[in-house]
Amino acid sequence: MRYSGLIEKYRDRLPVTDATPVISIGEGNTPLIELVNLPRILGSEVRIYAKFEGLNPTGSFKDRGMTMAVTKAVESGSKAIICASTGNTSASAAAYAARAGIGCFVLIPEGKIALGKLAQAMMHGSTVIQIQGNFDDGMRLVQELSAQMPVALVNSVNPFRLQGQKTIAFEVIEALGDAPDYHVLPVGNAGNISAHWMGYSESVCQQTEACGLCQGQCPYHPPLARASKRPVMVGNQAAGSAPFLRGAMVDNPETIATAIRIGHPMSWSLAWAAVRESGGWFNECSDEEILASQALLARHEGIFCEPSSATGFAGLIKDLKTGRIRNGSSIVCTLTGHGLKDPDTAIAQSSKPHVVAAERDAIAALIARHL
Ligand SMILES: *Cc1c(COP(=O)(O)O)cnc(C)c1O
């Protein structure tokens, strides 16, 4: 059967009815890629799977939440949506609004948004508003504006966002046959870690006595895979933007990982609950560690994710080194967005192209030096 987006696939687990006008661009169904080189290079005997969310329609996991948020906005009669964004939310909102034929307003921090994301918001025809402030300022403003004006707020304080994003856990369970031992990911506004936990929690059969581990009898959703357990959740932050490590909000967050440059996360309590209930923890990673792990994934696994996405993997490297995550574990790492979003950061940290004459001998000499 043709895949037509996560709402169609998981409609029994999502707040939609047959009358809901589904707005989809085929999001979800992203590959779970086993890392074949890095466990050995890191000297760890673990199985690591990358859930590559960069392969969503607009290149980040935000599409999972946006298909739900825009679908529900259209269902309730909204003619326009609004969001604050570090980049990917605006790219996704702009695309889904275009698909739905409604207006879209995005507030982005001036000068602190990756080039590809800005291009997307502009190309999809949204009204791009660069504010002279950071994401947290934008978040406060869109909450005020959406309360006063006929525009639907589609940041992750919109509960439908987390509903859509929880489907990532369903896909992981289907691919592995059960939940992994650990699930690691980057944390910014903290909606995604909360949504992961919601998805895993809903996948553990609550009625084991009545129906066994479902076995097709569960009234909840028989055809879909169910899990016997939930993973330990590990949230990873950039050191300059790490309110969960500080235990308090951070007023002037700074990091090269612009998608998680957030000091006042909206899903504060939900994220703490996910980490505490799962027996997990938070890590902080320096910008150097983040860029190094982005390069490792690109050079040894062929997976190009953006710096924010690599923060989850940077934290995992620490936990493997310290032994906090033990040998023999299975680990899923959500790579939240595609590396092409932020070409400037990628080029700045890579070696420059060789400039040579368009002559066979010159090129042959260069190849010989690098063989
Ligand atoms: C939005 C985003 C994050 C952070 O997700 P939260 O739900 O805000 O914690 C991480 N990485 C990328 C690429 C993002 O776009």
Side-chain angles (χ1 to χ4, degrees), residues 72-359:
K72 296 304 279 189
V74 170
E75 183 174 45
S76 68
S78 295
K79 295 281 179 276
I81 58 174
I82 190 168
C83 65
S85 178
T86 57
N88 281 331
T89 300
S90 62
S92 187
Y96 283 82
R99 181 87 175 176
I102 60 174
C104 180
F105 300 90
V106 304
L107 269 68
I108 54 174
E110 191 179 38
K112 294 284 186 180
I113 163 168
L115 199 62
K117 303 175 188 181
L118 182 60
Q120 289 177 291
M122 293 168 70
M123 193 66 190
H124 289 302
S126 67
T127 303
V128 179
I129 305 165
Q130 283 204 334
I131 58 164
Q132 292 165 331
N134 63 22
F135 171 84
D136 300 309
D137 297 321
M139 193 63 232
R140 178 176 46 77
L141 287 164
V142 293
Q143 285 179 293
E144 290 171 16
L145 288 161
S146 63
Q148 293 162 3
M149 303 181 75
V151 286
L153 182 61
V154 295
N155 280 104
S156 57
V157 289
N158 176 329
F160 298 120
R161 280 277 306 277
L162 299 203
Q163 286 292 321
Q165 285 171 214
K166 75 184 181 184
T167 58
I168 191 170
F170 303 162
E171 292 179 15
V172 168
I173 291 164
E174 277 171 51
L176 295 179
D178 203 343
D181 298 323
Y182 297 87
H183 197 127
V184 308
L185 75 166
V187 172
N189 215 17
N192 209 23
I193 190 170
S194 309
H196 277 64
W197 188 238
M198 192 191 299
Y200 279 121
S201 298
E202 290 182 8
S203 301
V204 176
C205 191
Q206 303 297 324
Q207 309 179 42
T208 41
E209 267 182 39
C211 63
L213 239 183
C214 218
Q215 294 174 0
Q217 303 305 308
C218 180
Y220 190 37
H221 198 129
L224 294 173
R226 306 206 61 89
S228 65
K229 60 171 184 196
R230 299 183 290 182
V232 173
M233 300 298 302
V234 183
N236 297 283
Q237 299 220 277
S241 179
F244 287 99
L245 279 299
R246 308 287 166 263
M249 301 298 169
V250 169
D251 277 339
N252 293 301
E254 265 315 332
T255 170
I256 195 158
T258 49
I260 53 173
R261 188 170 165 269
I262 295 173
H264 291 242
M266 287 288 136
S267 297
W268 177 258
S269 315
L270 284 175
W272 274 117
V275 162
R276 288 201 177 115
E277 287 170 26
S278 73
W281 58 87
F282 290 103
N283 290 312
E284 62 182 301
C285 307
S286 69
D287 281 2
E288 292 70 33
E289 290 167 332
I290 290 169
L291 292 178
S293 54
Q294 182 194 22
L296 281 175
L297 285 163
R299 288 178 201 162
H300 298 289
E301 300 289 353
I303 301 173
F304 186 19
C305 67
E306 64 173 285
S308 305
S309 310
T311 308
F313 191 65
L316 173 59
I317 293 176
K318 282 177 193 263
D319 289 330
L320 292 174
K321 270 196 191 131
T322 59
R324 200 166 189 187
I325 291 183
R326 288 178 203 289
N327 277 344
S329 304
S330 69
I331 303 142
V332 171
C333 179
T334 303
L335 299 180
T336 45
H338 204 290
L340 287 173
K341 296 260 191 185
D342 192 353
D344 295 323
T345 305
I347 289 170
Q349 64 164 321
S350 302
S351 49
K352 301 286 165 281
H354 303 273
V355 180
V356 295
E359 287 167 8

Side-chain angles (χ1 to χ4, degrees), residues 4-27:
S4 52
L6 59 85
I7 294 182
E8 283 310 332
K9 173 149 189 199
Y10 297 111
R11 59 167 47 247
D12 294 12
R13 295 186 184 194
L14 292 169
V16 291
T17 68
D18 290 346
T20 305
V22 175
I23 309 297
S24 168
I25 321 177
E27 59 295 313

